[in-house]
Amino acid sequence: MDNSRRKFLKIAGLSAIAGIAAPTAFNGLLKGEAQASSASGGGHGGTGAASGKRYGFVIDVSKFARDKGLAQRCIDACHSIHNVPDYGNKKDEIKWIWTDGFENVFPDHSHYKKNADLHDAPILTLCNHCDNPPCVRACPTKATFKNPDGLVLMDFHRCIGCRFCMAACPYGARSFNWRSPRELDAAGNYKYIKNPKPEFPTRMRGVVEKCNMCAERLAEGKIPACVEEARGANAMVFGDLNDPRSRISKVLARKFTIQRKPALGTHPSIFYII
Amino acid sequence: MIEKALSGNRLYWAWLAFLLVIMGVGGLSYVQQFNYGLGITGMSRDVSWGLYISQFTFLVGVAAGGVMLVLPYYLHNYKVFGRITILGEFMAVAAVAMCLMFILADLGQPMRALNVLLHPTPNSILFWDMIVLNVYLFLNIVGGWVMLNAEKKEMPPPKWVKGLIYLSIPWAISIHTVTAFLYCGLPGRHYWLTAILAPRFLASAFAAGPALLVICALILRRFTAFDVGKEAISKLVTIITYAAILNFFFVGLEFFVGYYSNIPGHMHTLDYLFFGLTDAAGNVYDNLVLPMRFSMVIGMAATIALLFPGMRDTYTKIGWLCGMIFLSLWIDKGLGLVLGGFVPTPMEYITEYYPTGIELMITAAVWATGFFILTILYKVAISVKLTKES
């Protein structure tokens, strides 16, 4: 085969491939455009995977504003069953669920001439158990992962403590064990964990932790501890977002709710009724 | 060849002993950190990366800077860099070694570091960073060492080593690009979330790495018989000037996008770094304002000075100007970039970070270890080159 013929065949072949591929690629682009506005649920909101379970919460801020002590009772319920240490300083602080101001939880929302009710309403905040979690993407060891029920969980035994997930989380939901939470006092009791619960493991220093949506309670058929605490006031609803007949789906269909930083495309599973 | 590092004058041994002392003190500090946990540093829930990761980021740039010699010398057969290229390759080795040490120092569970290999996770940029850094270390130590050995034996180098050296050129770009991706792929950290981050990293790397190299070459010229040559220094200074201009241009782009778009998230960190932030209660947070302004002033002043031939006609002037550029870029990338990215927090709080004494000692020890490696490697390289010439 002489050189020019080989060249001709090469060019012909390449042109043919390009001719076939270009329209297909173009169609693909168009399809992508169509998807951006429909399948992901209006660009920012997000429906996530429709198969399998996806547990989430609805938090009714007005109920927490009415009963000022309720949020703290939810926090205590969570932190006590999960052996979350209290060091009494901000630098070492570990928290799974806490309250913050409206402008801190929703910095992208306007708080110019904020509704009077919101001024000192404690807004409960915790891990959003995103459907598209940036922390899971960042973790170099799969120590943080999404389980089949949509829970974003931690494997404390695999975490190397690089804290990439903390930088990746846009919600400030993650805490690091800067020191050992297992430190004992002279009497041999945990210094920083009041009434430790043997049912749940304490952590070692140097690993990241956060809300696990009470995965251990869900496994026993119970609901998360904070939701149980708020049930009397009807301030929180827990359930499967992918089940259209679940109570949470019905509440979401009826009420206007917002999510934290929806523009980031993380698809949080925590919704707020303001 | 390593035996060449075992003989030297008193100054050589005194320098190594000095570095060993710092390494020893830092090693003891690390034992304390290992036993207590990372709470012994100034890092917190809000500023969860500190000096270790910021030094790591800066040093990846110093390592990548070596390519500014390897590329002209090997790819374009630019003979003027014949004596200095090995210094660039060995500087890359020392810098990557420091990077790996800083990563290890920063891990909460360092004994589990190999989990990154046991559970490979391709969706994590840190996984890729580990791969590209280790390969780059390998490419430079093997490339540099084999070429030097061939020179010593006055034999042509084996053919395969050229392949490794050519590979190290795009690889240098990759290490700093992947390191930028660690930051610029994170949603919700506005200061880092910018496509210009990787180009800016590369521009500052190609200024800071060669600047440190020029300083090292001038020190070697002063204390040893080894002279890389006037033309090599002069060419390197030209490279530094262009790279520094690009870097400051990119910084300017960040300012334009932030302040012209007027989007608060794009302005907050720049406000914090260059003007200071005030919270609702009236507290002022500005601990990085002075260093960052200083960094910009000396960096730009030195870059402009390098444009004038009269400012680069003696080694003393060149040394000072390169030192200013290196210091400027170290402050910008080795402090401001990482620490500033955490301010404000995702919940819009402001927490300032101050390193602790132990943290500073460990940081100094890693730098000392890097210079220890660099000294040994340079000693070998210089001995080989000088023996051959005499």
Side-chain angles (χ1 to χ4, degrees), chain A residues 14-32:
Chain A
L14 282 175
S15 321
I17 291 169
I20 295 161
T24 322
F26 191 62
N27 281 340
L29 277 178
L30 286 180
K31 223 190 264 169

Side-chain angles (χ1 to χ4, degrees), chain B residues 106-386:
Chain B
D106 189 68
L107 290 185
Q109 286 287 334
M111 305 304 278
R112 296 180 187 168
L114 289 179
N115 276 4
V116 179
L117 292 174
L118 290 172
H119 309 286
T121 313
N123 50 272
S124 172
I125 300 295
L126 202 57
F127 166 75
W128 290 108
D129 212 30
M130 182 217 55
I131 291 179
V132 292
L133 282 174
N134 280 295
V135 171
Y136 190 66
L137 180 66
F138 169 82
L139 289 176
N140 276 285
I141 189 72
V142 174
W145 197 263
V146 170
M147 289 302 286
L148 195 65
N149 210 13
E151 194 174 330
K152 184 188 166 213
K153 293 182 174 155
E154 299 187 7
M155 299 262 287
K159 283 227 165 60
W160 55 265
V161 77
K162 273 284 164 68
L164 292 189
I165 289 170
Y166 290 147
L167 182 61
S168 81
I169 294 169
W171 213 274
I173 311 289
S174 87
I175 60 166
H176 221 21
T177 304
V178 173
T179 304
F181 284 179
L182 287 176
Y183 298 98
C184 68
L186 305 178
R189 302 280 180 183
H190 298 292
Y191 185 54
W192 298 334
L193 190 70
T194 166
I196 202 85
L197 201 70
R200 190 180 151 192
F201 269 24
L202 287 165
S204 69
F206 295 155
L212 184 59
L213 200 64
V214 165
I215 296 168
C216 288
L218 294 180
I219 291 172
L220 291 177
R221 190 179 167 278
R222 171 86 174 67
F223 291 103
T224 71
F226 186 73
D227 187 353
V228 297
K230 203 170 177 176
E231 205 186 334
I233 296 277
S234 163
K235 253 313 167 255
L236 210 46
V237 168
T238 306
I239 291 172
I240 293 165
T241 312
Y242 278 117
I245 289 172
L246 269 180
N247 173 64
F248 290 115
F249 174 59
F250 291 160
V251 173
L253 297 183
E254 289 286 9
F255 270 89
F256 173 80
V257 170
Y259 290 99
Y260 194 84
S261 72
N262 200 39
I263 296 174
H266 289 279
M267 297 187 288
H268 274 161
T269 300
L270 289 173
D271 280 342
Y272 169 63
L273 289 176
F274 290 95
F275 309 104
L277 289 176
T278 309
D279 67 10
N283 301 309
V284 178
Y285 302 90
D286 60 357
N287 70 348
L288 286 171
V289 169
L290 205 62
M292 287 305 284
R293 287 185 180 178
F294 177 69
S295 156
M296 285 300 140
V297 169
I298 61 165
M300 286 199 264
T303 308
I304 291 168
L306 283 177
L307 294 173
F308 296 95
M311 290 302 289
R312 47 193 283 187
D313 54 359
T314 68
Y315 281 142
T316 317
K317 287 180 193 168
I318 288 175
W320 275 102
L321 292 177
C322 284
M324 282 161 74
I325 286 182
F326 183 79
L327 180 64
S328 163
L329 297 174
W330 177 76
I331 293 169
D332 180 37
K333 200 152 94 188
L335 289 179
L337 180 102
V338 175
L339 305 181
F342 288 103
V343 178
T345 67
M347 314 276 291
E348 307 247 310
Y349 287 105
I350 309 164
T351 303
E352 291 198 298
Y353 157 89
Y354 293 92
T356 60
I358 295 230
E359 199 174 359
L360 288 172
M361 272 323 302
I362 294 173
T363 304
V366 174
W367 275 94
T369 313
F371 276 105
F372 191 89
I373 296 170
L374 190 71
T375 308
I376 300 283
L377 290 174
Y378 277 11
K379 181 76 174 56
V380 172
I382 290 169
S383 305
V384 168
K385 298 240 177 206
L386 290 180

Side-chain angles (χ1 to χ4, degrees), chain A residues 12 18 36 56 66 94 99 110-111 116 118 152 166 195 212 217 241:
Chain A
R66 214 167 297 153
I94 292 180
T99 60
S110 170
H111 34 91
L118 277 176
V152 176
M166 293 176 79
N195 309 316
N212 66 348
R217 288 170 59 96
L241 297 166

Side-chain angles (χ1 to χ4, degrees), chain A residues 100 138 142 159 163 178 205, chain B residues 39 48 106 109 112 120 124 349:
Chain A
D100 234 315
K142 304 188 190 84
C159 175
R163 310 188 297 295
W178 296 103
R205 68 159 174 265
Chain B
S48 47
D106 189 68
Q109 286 287 334
R112 296 180 187 168
S124 172
Y349 287 105

